[in-house]
Amino acid sequence: MPDTADVSGAPVALDAMGGDHAPGEIVAGAVQAVREHGVPVVLVGAPRPIHEALARHGATAEIPIIRAEEALAMDEGALASLRRPRSSIAVACHLVRRGDACAVVSAGSTAGVVATGKLRLKGQPGVLRPAIAVALPTRPRPSILLDAGANAEVKPEMLVQFAHLGAAYAETALGITGPRIGLLTIGSEPGKGNKLVKRAHELLSAAPGLDFAGNVEGHDLLTGAVDVIVADGFTGNVALKTMEGSVRYAFAELRETIQESRTARLGGLLQRRRIMELRRRLDPEAYGGAVLLGLNGTVVIAHGASQAPGVSAACELAAALAHRGVVARIGERIGHAHRPHRLW
Amino acid sequence: MPDTADVSGAPVALDAMGGDHAPGEIVAGAVQAVREHGVPVVLVGAPRPIHEALARHGATAEIPIIRAEEALAMDEGALASLRRPRSSIAVACHLVRRGDACAVVSAGSTAGVVATGKLRLKGQPGVLRPAIAVALPTRPRPSILLDAGANAEVKPEMLVQFAHLGAAYAETALGITGPRIGLLTIGSEPGKGNKLVKRAHELLSAAPGLDFAGNVEGHDLLTGAVDVIVADGFTGNVALKTMEGSVRYAFAELRETIQESRTARLGGLLQRRRIMELRRRLDPEAYGGAVLLGLNGTVVIAHGASQAPGVSAACELAAALAHRGVVARIGERIGHAHRPHRLW
């Protein structure tokens, strides 16, 4: 896998200007990634504020800065990526194209990062549509859900490709051999769902190189029933946000319940630290971010509200995916599945 | 509203044969509904086992039995409703048609209840598709989510009707005046989503008689941001099951966290009762069940695993909807929105 060797020493290109807490928390996350996890990072953006933030950590000599004159605002969407060829995220993508970085990490707006990534890195040969993958906090190991929002409208063939993208993620980042694939729908029997998933079920059942385990439902999302959960970007995004909102809701209700009674309150104090730890583990930031799969380069989209630990986790995830050759792995899977029939 | 007057004294027709714990827990739920909540009930199904179960509660004189020779099994789907015209759920529907019952309650298979309800009670005039509505445990009052699974494939016009169905539910069962409607999608701006919701957004914005509050996302499901959340049955079902699974997951993780440490365990014991209460409140059964809206009669589908309290709650909900005239209210709303242009 030549792609792996190419990037093995290259740093992660971290967009210092994207995210609600940029550049302060982004820079802090870079420092954490470098010092605590040994992940090499370059910061991309406006040099002065980045330098000042690095100075606060005494890290100006440890992390290089690559100048980018512009930045995408958090409320700017896909079109801005065309208008701003020198944005920090565009420059970060350029570093990956040139081989000067192994991967891109940004906490900028998802729409902006997706559009810029597609424009600057281009889709891998044979990939119909790049997709966003997230790792869900299942145990003993995460399940990968995709597409989590890049494609609101898809065709059944794309869902089969998403299965390959997710399988490559599971194989490289999580070290899972022969990941099991599930199709998100509204009943466990093969005939259940809308037209899209019924057809996708047929295609997945016949697809070589995929261990298709059949349909999964919403309540299977967090049980670890399968390693990869495939959905169109509309359903996947609704499911992901519903999951995040429901976990948040359960904890809020719990806090209120505990505060209501004096004995319960005492109990609550005794277990406060444990519950804080649990909340942190279930925090979307802890997953390391969403990964845009199917481009000629690895792009990790950290949560917009990311603070230093979330940014650091995203850099670790990006480095792991890049160094273990997720792009090459996708190339093998999609190339294998979609190789044109040879006439000679 | 003549429909209201017609049914005011009529009992709820409770399918004694549907559900994982039928007839024992169903009969126990009937006894609870009658004795504790003053809801009149008739039990429909095989007389002997129902009579025996009633006898165990000393309630043979309190609750009438209506004979039905057959029953739909829990794994029987839509087709069985055609094959079994004398099933307990079909007979219960017949009682409503004749005016001998105000509403149907069944804990049988959703597909079977939906198909039988549509076949025996027929859709209300002007209603394109009946939809399944559930009340989510938001505070201070529930939000209604629909369609939760009756229609995997819908058209934008149907989503507008679902808004009316949900509004009628909120007005009658929850006493909400001018319920606020949200459209479930993947971004808060009007242009976000797939083709279906983009078009539905336009139609809802222009629809008379609806207080349309715009798009809502998955994480808004439990915040009570709106009173009625509209979705196609595929997305709505995935969201509902994801929500249930996520809440269950959060509690399971919490239990494990509490058991891991001794201090935390002590704390856990002190608040055990409170947490049990909370879990009960978030239990889907506690919502009273899903309501099939848009038919010429009220049909409540209790959870398949319902025990006595869930069955009793479903009977209360069915009686409230029927006695407050949800069918007539839907007729007014849909009739008003879809009245044909008169030429004379």
Side-chain angles (χ1 to χ4, degrees), chain B residues 26-305:
Chain B
I26 308 296
V27 171
V31 171
Q32 193 171 319
V34 169
R35 290 185 180 164
E36 296 177 23
H37 305 284
V39 176
V41 174
V42 295
L43 285 159
V44 184
R48 184 188 293 263
I50 297 176
H51 189 272
E52 285 169 5
L54 280 173
R56 283 196 291 276
H57 297 276
T60 50
E62 285 167 68
I63 303 180
I65 300 171
I66 306 287
R67 172 191 301 271
E69 284 129 33
E70 294 187 297
L72 295 187
M74 288 306 281
D75 57 355
E76 282 187 303
L79 283 175
S81 64
L82 289 167
R83 288 196 303 266
R84 300 195 193 281
R86 294 292 302 163
S87 71
S88 51
I89 172 75
V91 171
C93 289
H94 192 60
L95 291 175
V96 171
R97 285 200 71 173
R98 280 207 320 224
D100 292 336
C102 69
V104 173
V105 171
S106 177
S109 87
T110 301
V113 177
V114 170
T116 308
K118 281 173 160 181
L119 191 67
R120 307 290 160 196
L121 290 173
K122 304 277 190 277
Q124 287 185 250
V127 171
L128 298 167
R129 295 279 191 89
I132 293 176
V134 292
L136 306 178
T138 48
R139 291 206 281 186
R141 59 197 189 188
S143 295
I144 306 299
L145 170 69
L146 83 168
D147 175 22
N151 308 283
E153 215 83 55
V154 308
K155 301 206 180 312
E157 294 72 21
M158 295 172 189
L159 292 180
V160 178
Q161 286 208 343
F162 294 171
H164 282 294
L165 299 180
Y169 182 151
E171 286 168 339
T172 51
L174 309 175
I176 297 171
T177 314
R180 286 164 57 81
I181 313 290
L183 177 64
L184 184 60
T185 181
I186 62 171
S188 48
E189 304 83 17
K192 289 298 177 78
N194 54 20
K195 280 181 218 155
L196 172 70
V197 299
K198 285 181 198 170
R199 178 65 184 141
H201 192 284
E202 292 173 358
L203 295 177
L204 283 164
S205 301
L210 289 174
D211 182 5
F212 180 50
N215 290 345
V216 296
E217 298 187 73
H219 45 58
D220 299 318
L221 232 60
L222 289 170
T223 58
V226 292
D227 300 304
V228 176
I229 298 164
V230 173
D232 66 274
F234 185 86
T235 308
N237 187 276
V238 168
L240 178 68
K241 288 187 176 160
T242 298
M243 187 201 90
E244 290 174 1
S246 302
V247 169
R248 205 179 307 138
Y249 169 85
F251 278 106
E253 290 289 314
L254 179 76
R255 190 169 50 237
E256 200 164 307
T257 298
I258 287 174
Q259 280 164 353
E260 268 168 14
S261 101
R262 196 192 295 179
T263 5
R265 203 158 55 226
L266 174 62
L269 286 173
L270 290 173
Q271 45 182 233
R272 200 177 195 163
R273 197 174 53 83
R274 287 277 161 167
I275 291 174
M276 289 292 283
E277 280 168 19
L278 175 61
R279 286 190 69 173
R280 249 196 306 277
R281 196 168 72 70
L282 300 187
D283 184 337
E285 272 193 54
Y287 323 160
V291 184
L292 182 57
L293 295 170
L295 301 181
N296 295 304
T298 299
V299 178
V300 172
I301 309 167
H303 203 281

Side-chain angles (χ1 to χ4, degrees), chain A residues 12-14 26 29-30 33 39-41 103 105 288 300 310-320:
Chain A
V12 169
L14 174 57
I26 309 296
V39 176
V41 174
V105 170
V300 172
V311 173
S312 172
C315 291
E316 280 182 83
L317 174 61

Side-chain angles (χ1 to χ4, degrees), chain A residues 142-167:
Chain A
S143 295
I144 306 298
L145 170 70
L146 83 171
D147 176 21
N151 309 283
E153 214 84 54
V154 308
K155 301 206 179 313
E157 294 74 20
M158 295 173 190
L159 292 179
V160 178
Q161 286 209 342
F162 294 171
H164 282 295
L165 298 180

